[in-house]
Amino acid sequence: LQRMLSISVEVDKSPNCSSCKIADVIFPFILNIPLRSQREAFLNTMESHLLRCKLLELLFQHSCDVPTTLPLSLSKILYFVSHSSVLLQYQDETATWQRWDEMLQYLSLLLMSYQNVILAFPLAEHLRSSLNDRMDLIIQKAKPKLQDSDDISHLDIQLKIEDFISRMQQILGQPFPLQIMEKLCMLR
């Protein structure tokens, strides 16, 4: 399945467009996956970083009270840090801290996938371009074009993370479980 999804993103002239279409179709099914371990297995084994970004973007947009119209960027990921609520509310048997832990896991996964799409190794730098265009860009050693919303400061990051920690403290109290602290450090 993951290989088929990856190929279906790649065969289109616009991988960005095809990943959006595929993510729109798959997203309702992800919402109905009952166990965290199953959701994580599906997302972690996804071969297409671009498709994973789109699915996680939809998941976080779904969890925001006020969705944003920003394109997928570092600014949008910071927006999710500030405005996302705990994901997948229908799981009543899951402890609150585990829901926050899952949200932090997906934020980190979104950030890593986005970095692979934009900044990582040469073949992944141009994942938003078609396969034919991507080869030309690699041969030309063209640098990927960053968006204006990818230019964020360390202060922006620090303020958003502190706000996020404050929201978690109000709900979870102190001290945080060790898993939460590790994921906060990784996200930061």
Side-chain angles (χ1 to χ4, degrees):
L1 173 65
Q2 295 296 10
R3 187 73 191 131
M4 287 170 47
L5 289 172
S6 180
I7 291 169
S8 61
V9 168
E10 293 295 331
V11 296
D12 197 78
K13 278 196 174 258
S14 172
N16 208 29
C17 184
S18 60
S19 64
C20 287
K21 290 176 187 175
I22 294 167
D24 285 339
V25 171
I26 293 174
F27 179 66
F29 296 105
I30 288 181
L31 286 180
N32 290 314
I33 294 175
L35 298 175
R36 175 183 177 177
S37 60
Q38 293 170 333
R39 284 188 299 275
E40 285 183 358
F42 179 74
L43 292 168
N44 287 333
T45 59
M46 191 160 280
E47 291 183 16
S48 171
H49 291 287
L50 187 57
L51 182 56
R52 183 185 301 143
C53 282
K54 296 296 180 183
L55 283 169
L56 289 168
E57 178 183 14
L58 286 173
L59 190 63
F60 282 105
Q61 282 281 55
H62 178 74
S63 75
C64 288
D65 292 334
V66 181
T68 179
T69 57
L70 286 170
L72 184 56
S73 61
L74 294 176
S75 291
K76 188 169 194 171
I77 294 171
L78 275 181
Y79 181 88
F80 291 150
V81 168
S82 296
H83 294 88
S84 292
S85 60
V86 174
L87 303 173
L88 308 170
Q89 297 290 338
Y90 64 87
Q91 297 178 335
D92 293 332
E93 72 280 354
T94 304
T96 304
W97 76 267
Q98 289 173 318
R99 294 179 186 179
W100 283 90
D101 184 61
E102 183 175 10
M103 184 168 113
L104 282 167
Q105 177 72 27
Y106 293 154
L107 275 170
S108 295
L109 188 58
L110 175 59
L111 185 59
M112 287 186 296
S113 296
Y114 183 70
Q115 286 178 324
N116 278 326
V117 169
I118 299 299
L119 303 171
F121 49 93
L123 289 176
E125 284 180 337
H126 305 284
L127 285 178
R128 292 178 174 178
S129 306
S130 70
L131 215 48
N132 291 338
D133 295 342
R134 193 178 313 157
M135 293 310 296
D136 292 339
L137 292 168
I138 291 169
I139 291 167
Q140 297 168 8
K141 297 182 180 175
K143 295 290 181 198
K145 295 177 186 173
L146 297 178
Q147 304 172 66
D148 290 339
S149 50
D150 281 325
D151 188 21
I152 57 174
S153 71
H154 290 289
L155 182 60
D156 291 334
I157 297 168
Q158 183 179 347
L159 293 174
K160 300 293 184 185
I161 295 289
E162 286 174 6
D163 178 54
F164 183 78
I165 291 171
S166 296
R167 284 193 305 144
M168 278 198 330
Q169 284 175 335
Q170 289 174 354
I171 294 168
L172 299 178
Q174 281 256 335
F176 293 145
L178 182 60
Q179 292 97 319
I180 297 277
M181 293 304 297
E182 288 173 352
K183 286 187 176 72
L184 278 171
C185 288
M186 186 171 72
L187 181 63
R188 201 178 267 157

